[in-house]
Amino acid sequence: MDLSNKNTESTRSRRRYVVSKRLDRIFLELGDVYAFIARFFKELWFPPYELKEIINQCYEIGVRSLPLISLTGFIIGIVFTNQSRPSLADFGAAALLPALISVAIIRAIGPLVTALIAAGRVASGIGAELGSMRVTEQIDAMEVSATNPYKFLVVSRVLASTLMIPALTMYTTLVSLLGGYLNIRQNEQTSLTTFFYQVFEAITFLDLAASSVKSVIFGFTIGMVGCYKGYNSSKGTEGVGKAANSSVVTAMFLIFIEELLIMQVINALRSF
Amino acid sequence: MKEINPRIDRSRKVIEIRGLKKAFDDFEVLKGVDLDLYQGENLVVLGRSGTGKSVLIKIISGLLKPDEGYVNVLGEEVDRLTPKELDALRLKIGFSFQNSALYDSMTVKENLEFPLIRHAKDLTQKDRDRIISVVLEAVGLSQAMNQMPSELSGGQRKRIGIARTLILKPEIMLYDEPTAGLDPITSIEINRLINEVQRRFNTSSIIITHDLTCAKAVGDRVVMLLDGQFQRQGTFDEVFDTNDERVKAFYNYNFID
C-alpha cells in the first residue's frame, strides 16, 4: 500500500465508489487535472512572483535547447527542400520552392518540430525533476517551510515554457528557412534577397499569428504536462521514470491533437 | 538514559490531539489517537514501520488531513486553518525529514537561505550570512557551506536538514526517523544533536523512530504506537516494563537487529 501524500490537498479516503473503481479514478484524475490547471491561472497573478526561478527556467528551457533545435531545424530545412524539389520540378514549378517551404515551415513544421523536440527534452526533464523532488520529499519540505511549492516549481516552469517555446519556434523557423535557402542556392543559384522576398510573399499575417498562438499553446501544454506528471508522481524511483516517460508521451499526444484542432480553426478563419 | 529535563513546562501543552483517525483506502492507520506534547519536552513515538508514525507528524504539520479528530498545535486547530494561517503556523514548526529532503539543485548555503529569503525579508545579505553561520555551527558543519547535498554523507545531510529547520527558530521540532540508515556512531551524534537543539533553542519535539537507542537517548517521554493506537506511555523503562508480548517482541527484535 502506498502511504505517500500524492497531491496533499486531495488526499482523502476514497473507500466507496460511485460507478466503479476504474471509472471513478478516471473522473477523479480529470478533476485533479482541471484543479491543477485552474490553480495555475489563480496563482499566476499573486505575489511572490519567483522571478529568479522563472529566469533560471527560461535559461534551462530556452538557451539549453538551442543546440538541439538548431541542428534539427537546419537539417529539416535542407531535407524538406531537397525532397520537395522533384515534385515541383515535374510540374515545371521549381521556382515556387521558396514559397512552398515558407508556407510549410511557418505554418506547420516550425511549431510542430519545436514542440516535439521540447516535449522530449523539456517535458521529460521537468517530469523527472519534479518526480524526484516528490519522491525525496523535497516538495513536502517546501510546503512545511511555508513556501508554496506549486508557485515556486509549477508556475515558474509553465510560464517559462509558455514564453520560451514561441521564441524557440521563431528561431527554428529561421534556421529551417536558412537550411532551405542553402539547398536552393546550391541548386538554383537564387539570391538571399529573392529567396526571402518569395518567402514573405507566400505567407500572410494569419499564418504568422496562427504559428505564434500555436506555439504558445504548445509551450503551455509541455510545461503543464511535465509539471503535472512530476508533481503527482508516486513514491519510488519507478515513479520518477514513469513520470518522465508519461510526460513525453502525453505531451506529444496532446500536441498532435492541438495541431489538428488549431488547423481546423485556422482553415475556418481563412475561409471568411 | 536521558537525564530529567528541567525545562519541561507541564502547564503548557504545545500540541494536543484527541480521537485522531486516518485511513488510506480500506486500511485504517490511526484509530483514535490521543496525544499531548508539553513545552520543552522531547516526546518519542515508537512503533514498527507502517504503523502510522510519520502520518501522525504529517497531520500535525498540515501535510495530510485527518479523517476525524482534533489536532491543536500552539493554540490553533490545524484542520480549520486557512492556507495563510497554516503557513503562519508552519513557520513555528520545524520538520526534519527521514531522508533530509535537501534541495538537490542548491548548495548547502542556498538550502539554508531558501526559507530566510521568503520569510525574513527585512534581513540583509549580511544578516542572512550570520544566521546561516550560527545554525551551521550549531550542527557542527560550518565547513559545508558551499557544498552540494550530493557531496555530503548521510549523517551530514541529516544535520543540514536539521539546520534548515532551525533557521526560522521554530517552537516545535518534528523529527521523522532521525537515525534511520545511519551507522551507530553517527546515530549517537544525531541523538546528541537533538538534545542539544532542545537545550539551545528551547524547542518541544516529537521524535518518530523505531530505534530504541535513539528513544532512550532523547526521549523525556516515550509513547508506543501499536495497531493504530498508543498502547504504552511513560519513560523509556516504564514503557518496556510490561508483559504485553507485542511490546516485548518489539524490544527484543530491536536489540537482536
Side-chain angles (χ1 to χ4, degrees):
Chain A
M1 185 200 56
D2 183 8
L3 295 186
S4 66
N5 59 328
K6 180 193 171 204
N7 199 355
T8 52
E9 297 84 349
S10 66
T11 302
R12 295 177 292 267
S13 301
R14 295 159 177 164
R15 270 164 282 178
R16 291 188 183 85
Y17 305 111
V18 180
V19 187
S20 69
K21 194 173 180 177
R22 185 177 283 182
L23 262 177
D24 277 19
R25 276 206 179 146
I26 291 171
F27 283 113
L28 284 168
E29 175 91 16
L30 284 175
D32 282 347
V33 170
Y34 171 76
F36 196 80
I37 296 171
R39 191 172 170 191
F40 172 81
F41 290 106
K42 191 179 150 201
E43 303 234 6
L44 183 61
W45 312 107
F46 302 103
Y49 296 109
E50 305 292 359
L51 272 178
K52 198 178 161 196
E53 184 63 8
I54 292 171
I55 292 166
N56 276 345
Q57 290 307 318
C58 283
Y59 180 80
E60 280 294 322
I61 294 168
V63 179
R64 294 208 174 210
S65 298
L66 280 179
L68 185 60
I69 291 275
S70 303
L71 185 70
T72 321
F74 188 71
I75 290 173
I76 281 177
I78 293 175
V79 171
F80 182 75
T81 311
N82 214 27
Q83 296 294 340
S84 305
R85 182 176 292 106
S87 307
L88 285 179
D90 284 349
F91 295 99
L96 290 176
L97 206 47
L100 173 76
I101 63 165
S102 129
V103 167
I105 288 172
I106 291 170
R107 279 190 192 172
I109 295 175
L112 202 56
V113 165
T114 312
L116 293 177
I117 290 171
R121 207 193 84 82
V122 177
S124 66
I126 293 175
E129 186 189 11
L130 298 199
S132 151
M133 290 185 78
R134 169 63 76 195
V135 166
T136 54
E137 296 181 307
Q138 292 175 51
I139 293 179
D140 288 344
M142 264 183 208
E143 203 165 341
V144 292
S145 70
T147 299
N148 183 344
Y150 187 95
K151 185 123 205 171
F152 184 76
L153 299 170
V154 177
V155 174
S156 60
R157 279 159 181 75
V158 175
L159 205 56
S161 170
T162 311
L163 292 171
M164 284 296 107
I165 300 301
L168 286 173
T169 300
M170 274 190 254
Y171 176 76
T172 313
T173 305
L174 275 175
V175 172
S176 296
L177 287 174
L178 187 68
Y181 164 69
L182 289 179
N183 188 275
I184 288 173
R185 186 185 157 83
Q186 199 180 17
N187 292 283
E188 280 91 15
Q189 283 79 43
T190 307
S191 74
L192 188 66
T193 321
T194 312
F195 174 79
F196 273 103
Y197 177 77
Q198 287 185 297
V199 162
F200 286 111
E201 205 179 38
I203 55 165
T204 62
F205 173 75
L206 186 62
D207 292 326
L208 292 174
S211 176
S212 307
V213 170
K214 211 181 333 186
S215 56
V216 167
I217 293 171
F218 290 162
F220 178 80
T221 305
I222 289 163
M224 196 49 92
V225 168
C227 286
Y228 179 79
K229 294 289 180 185
Y231 201 79
N232 293 305
S233 73
S234 52
K235 287 255 177 185
T237 43
E238 197 192 343
V240 180
K242 273 186 184 168
N245 184 275
S246 114
S247 297
V248 182
V249 174
T250 312
M252 284 187 174
F253 175 75
L254 289 176
I255 285 166
F256 281 117
I257 300 280
E258 285 167 357
E259 171 71 29
L260 195 67
L261 293 176
I262 294 168
M263 191 183 74
Q264 301 298 329
V265 174
I266 300 300
N267 283 344
L269 285 175
R270 227 184 282 280
S271 65
F272 275 114
Chain B
M1 178 79 183
K2 200 186 173 192
E3 294 164 11
I4 292 169
N5 179 357
R7 293 182 188 82
I8 300 174
D9 178 0
R10 299 235 173 246
S11 65
R12 190 183 170 224
K13 287 177 189 170
V14 289
I15 294 179
E16 186 179 1
I17 295 174
R18 295 288 176 269
L20 178 63
K21 290 185 182 177
K22 179 72 186 171
F24 292 90
D25 290 325
D26 292 330
F27 183 72
E28 204 169 11
V29 184
L30 301 175
K31 301 173 182 171
V33 165
D34 297 334
L35 175 87
D36 292 319
L37 176 70
Y38 297 99
Q39 171 65 49
E41 184 182 37
N42 273 358
L43 172 70
V44 170
V45 178
L46 274 176
R48 291 177 60 186
S49 300
T51 50
K53 305 186 300 292
S54 299
V55 171
L56 175 72
I57 55 172
K58 283 185 175 174
I59 289 174
I60 290 171
S61 61
L63 278 174
L64 289 174
K65 287 191 182 299
D67 293 339
E68 274 179 49
Y70 167 83
V71 181
N72 189 304
V73 179
L74 296 168
E76 312 266 13
E77 203 173 332
V78 179
D79 199 24
R80 295 194 173 177
L81 296 177
T82 62
K84 216 170 190 176
E85 290 168 336
L86 183 59
D87 278 349
L89 178 65
R90 279 170 169 166
L91 293 178
K92 298 173 193 168
I93 303 173
F95 197 125
S96 168
F97 286 85
Q98 187 171 347
N99 296 312
S100 313
L102 298 180
Y103 309 130
D104 288 336
S105 57
M106 302 180 195
T107 63
V108 166
K109 188 186 174 194
E110 286 164 344
N111 262 279
L112 299 177
E113 223 170 21
F114 189 83
L116 281 179
I117 289 171
R118 277 154 188 83
H119 304 298
K121 289 179 181 163
D122 49 337
L123 293 179
T124 62
Q125 184 60 46
K126 209 173 173 185
D127 292 333
R128 285 202 289 268
D129 289 346
R130 184 181 49 76
I131 294 168
I132 290 168
S133 298
V134 169
V135 290
L136 277 180
E137 185 261 312
V139 298
L141 277 175
S142 303
Q143 78 287 357
M145 179 102 73
N146 296 312
Q147 284 181 275
M148 295 301 285
S150 57
E151 296 167 340
L152 302 173
S153 68
Q156 287 173 323
R157 288 171 69 95
K158 289 260 167 160
R159 285 167 178 270
I160 299 297
I162 293 170
R164 191 178 60 188
T165 64
L166 287 175
I167 207 139
L168 292 172
K169 297 180 185 165
E171 292 178 42
I172 297 172
M173 285 292 288
L174 305 173
Y175 298 92
D176 191 4
E177 303 281 7
T179 57
L182 300 179
D183 66 81
I185 295 171
T186 312
S187 296
I188 290 168
E189 286 171 4
I190 294 292
N191 294 340
R192 282 193 191 136
L193 178 61
I194 292 171
N195 284 328
E196 174 65 18
V197 164
Q198 195 272 323
R199 268 193 297 274
R200 193 162 166 181
F201 298 90
N202 196 26
T203 52
S204 317
S205 313
I206 294 182
I207 301 106
I208 300 294
T209 187
H210 55 251
D211 172 6
L212 293 188
T213 311
C214 169
K216 201 167 185 175
V218 304
D220 297 312
R221 187 160 54 101
V222 175
V223 291
M224 187 144 191
L225 193 58
L226 283 168
D227 300 327
Q229 285 180 318
F230 288 134
Q231 304 286 351
R232 307 278 307 161
Q233 78 154 309
T235 61
F236 182 86
D237 291 332
E238 284 166 356
V239 165
F240 288 100
D241 183 17
T242 174
N243 290 323
D244 187 327
E245 287 302 323
R246 295 169 304 172
V247 179
K248 281 162 99 175
F250 184 84
Y251 185 88
N252 292 332
Y253 277 115
N254 217 289
F255 283 111
I256 287 168
D257 282 347

